[in-house]
Amino acid sequence: MRRLNRKKTLNLMKELDAFPKVPESYVETSASGGTVSLIAFTTIAFLTIMEFMVYRDTWMKYEYEVDKDFTSKLRINIDITVAMRCQYVGADVLDLAETMVASADGLIYEPVVFELTPQQKELQRMLQLIQSRLQEEHSLQDVIFKSAFKSASTALPPREDNSLQSPDACRIHGHLYVNKVAGNFHITVGKAIPHPRGHAHLAALVSHESYNFSHRIDHLSFGELIPGIINPLDGTEKIASDHNQMFQYFITVVPTKLHTYKISAETHQFSVTERERVINHAAGSHGVSGIFMKYDISSLMVTVTEEHMPFWQFLVRLCGIIGGIFSTTGILHGIGRFVAEIIFCRFRLGSYRSTSVPLPDGHTSNHLPLITENSTH
């Protein structure tokens, strides 16, 4: 009884077989079929390799939402070299809430030589080249996000020539914590002193002839410091054409959450617009000589997430490639054989010419003569 049930079950499963097998004696092979099969297998192998490369690659997904964090402090990372002696310049931040953050809270004034060594010039030139490519091809920013913590810092290496030249510039570097509101970070003549209406700089003791706000921005960023991330002002160098010259940078800071397979950090991206002009009160160009960076905080927050193709999606795409190529090549091969048979059949029929056969009654017949075995001898 059990054997009978097994046979019924097997017979039922055979009837449900959607892939019937054809005996090998009924299968006809051909050279054209072998050629098409070779092309199909080669195409499948090539597309499979390409699809695997796509599967290994990742991409960055950007999402936008309203930034609801207004209580935390904003960190500003600074590394700027000014072509003036350290005792002549002062740096500080003043925000819209009239809160002053002095440079003594986190910045270091280091006397240096403004002119770069050949090695430093080469690294700066490479950084400026990367900046120009980033402005032309925005997709390179995704590559920088992926390589964060793997790339080296953008800061210039220390001098190795042990120059005996006396320092003629001041490197201001470090970080400051400010309120998360719009503000103004500036470097100008004289040290800053606070007073009830804001603050002032003691510039009266410095001669106008010693003003030189030529500067080089080795690094400027907002938020958590992430090595390998290139910011818009990194590598910027400005040479002053006049003693009384103002350099202005208008910066829009965008809070950013970065989530990759290597890091997870909260940082800030920013865009910048530059302007410079000579201070000439007689010509109506008023202001104060110095370097001014006016920043504003965007109300939107960007979440950048590195994503990867799921394995099941890779399998589905791979099955689609294999099945699609087999079906397409089979259809094309069938159409090709059909067209070839029609052409060859017409060629063969055209090779036989009609002949006239005399009949006994004096008429002629244009039909082809019947070929028999006796007629061949």
Side-chain angles (χ1 to χ4, degrees):
M1 193 66 179
R2 292 181 179 177
R3 292 181 179 179
L4 183 61
N5 292 333
R6 285 183 181 178
K7 289 182 179 180
K8 289 182 179 181
T9 303
L10 291 176
N11 292 332
L12 179 61
M13 297 302 294
K14 289 180 180 180
E15 292 178 359
L16 296 176
D17 187 7
F19 308 97
K21 309 300 184 294
V22 180
E24 294 184 1
S25 58
Y26 295 154
V27 177
E28 181 182 357
T29 59
S30 62
S32 61
T35 303
V36 173
S37 299
L38 182 61
I39 294 174
F41 290 138
T42 303
T43 306
I44 289 174
F46 175 74
L47 293 181
T48 300
I49 295 174
M50 297 298 294
E51 190 66 26
F52 181 72
M53 294 176 63
V54 173
Y55 169 72
R56 291 186 58 190
D57 194 17
T58 59
W59 61 88
M60 308 306 293
K61 180 182 178 182
Y62 292 81
E63 297 177 325
Y64 303 89
E65 59 181 313
V66 177
D67 185 17
K68 301 178 181 178
D69 182 14
F70 298 104
T71 59
S72 62
K73 293 287 186 177
L74 176 64
R75 172 171 168 160
I76 306 178
N77 307 295
I78 302 162
D79 190 349
I80 302 176
T81 302
V82 185
M84 292 181 65
R85 297 184 181 276
C86 291
Q87 61 266 28
Y88 294 157
V89 295
D92 56 85
V93 178
L94 186 66
D95 59 25
L96 288 182
E98 296 185 354
T99 302
M100 175 183 169
V101 179
S103 59
D105 294 338
L107 297 183
I108 300 173
Y109 292 76
E110 179 184 350
V112 294
V113 177
F114 188 76
E115 185 180 359
L116 299 176
T117 63
Q119 181 186 7
Q120 291 175 330
K121 288 181 179 179
E122 181 65 21
L123 292 176
Q124 186 189 33
R125 188 190 65 82
M126 292 178 60
L127 185 57
Q128 291 174 348
L129 180 61
I130 294 174
Q131 291 284 18
S132 62
R133 292 294 301 274
L134 283 172
Q135 294 177 2
E136 297 174 359
E137 302 179 21
H138 299 285
S139 59
L140 292 178
Q141 186 65 46
D142 293 349
V143 180
I144 294 177
F145 281 148
K146 295 178 186 178
S147 61
F149 277 132
K150 292 175 60 179
S151 304
S153 173
T154 57
L156 293 176
R159 301 179 68 93
E160 298 179 354
D161 57 354
N162 296 323
S163 175
L164 299 177
Q165 181 181 354
S166 61
D168 58 352
C170 184
R171 180 190 175 199
I172 304 173
H173 59 97
H175 61 272
L176 297 173
Y177 287 95
V178 299
N179 296 323
K180 209 171 181 180
V181 295
N184 181 4
F185 169 76
H186 51 271
I187 302 174
T188 187
V189 179
K191 302 300 180 181
I193 56 173
H195 63 80
R197 294 188 178 182
H199 75 293
H201 287 262
L202 296 175
L205 302 179
V206 183
S207 172
H208 285 275
E209 299 299 325
S210 62
Y211 286 15
N212 184 6
F213 283 100
S214 300
H215 61 279
R216 182 174 57 252
I217 303 176
D218 295 328
H219 180 80
L220 179 70
S221 65
F222 297 83
E224 182 180 348
L225 184 60
I226 304 177
I229 297 296
I230 299 177
N231 296 279
L233 287 176
D234 292 353
T236 300
E237 185 176 75
K238 298 291 184 180
I239 303 300
S241 58
D242 191 271
H243 293 292
N244 295 326
Q245 191 160 349
M246 173 189 287
F247 295 91
Q248 293 176 302
Y249 299 92
F250 301 94
I251 300 172
T252 301
V253 182
V254 181
T256 304
K257 290 183 178 180
L258 181 61
H259 302 287
T260 68
Y261 290 104
K262 297 180 177 64
I263 64 169
S264 180
E266 293 188 6
T267 182
H268 292 72
Q269 302 179 85
F270 66 90
S271 60
V272 60
T273 303
E274 304 175 15
R275 184 189 178 194
E276 59 182 82
R277 59 187 175 92
V278 176
I279 303 300
N280 189 345
H281 299 287
S285 178
H286 304 290
V288 179
S289 302
I291 305 166
F292 297 86
M293 298 181 178
K294 299 181 179 181
Y295 60 89
D296 193 7
I297 313 297
S298 174
S299 59
L300 291 178
M301 180 175 62
V302 181
T303 302
V304 184
T305 307
E306 185 178 6
E307 292 193 343
H308 186 274
M309 181 188 296
F311 183 70
W312 65 266
Q313 187 175 353
F314 168 71
L315 291 180
V316 170
R317 291 166 64 99
L318 196 61
C319 292
I321 289 174
I322 297 174
I325 291 177
F326 267 118
S327 301
T328 304
T329 52
I331 294 173
L332 294 177
H333 181 242
I335 294 174
R337 288 190 61 181
F338 177 73
V339 173
E341 288 178 358
I342 292 177
I343 294 174
F344 289 144
C345 286
R346 288 186 177 180
F347 177 76
R348 290 174 182 175
L349 291 176
S351 63
Y352 295 100
R353 296 182 178 178
S354 60
T355 57
S356 298
V357 181
L359 297 177
D361 56 0
H363 294 82
T364 59
S365 174
N366 293 326
H367 296 287
L368 293 175
L370 180 62
I371 300 176
T372 62
E373 293 181 0
N374 297 328
S375 63
T376 58
H377 297 288

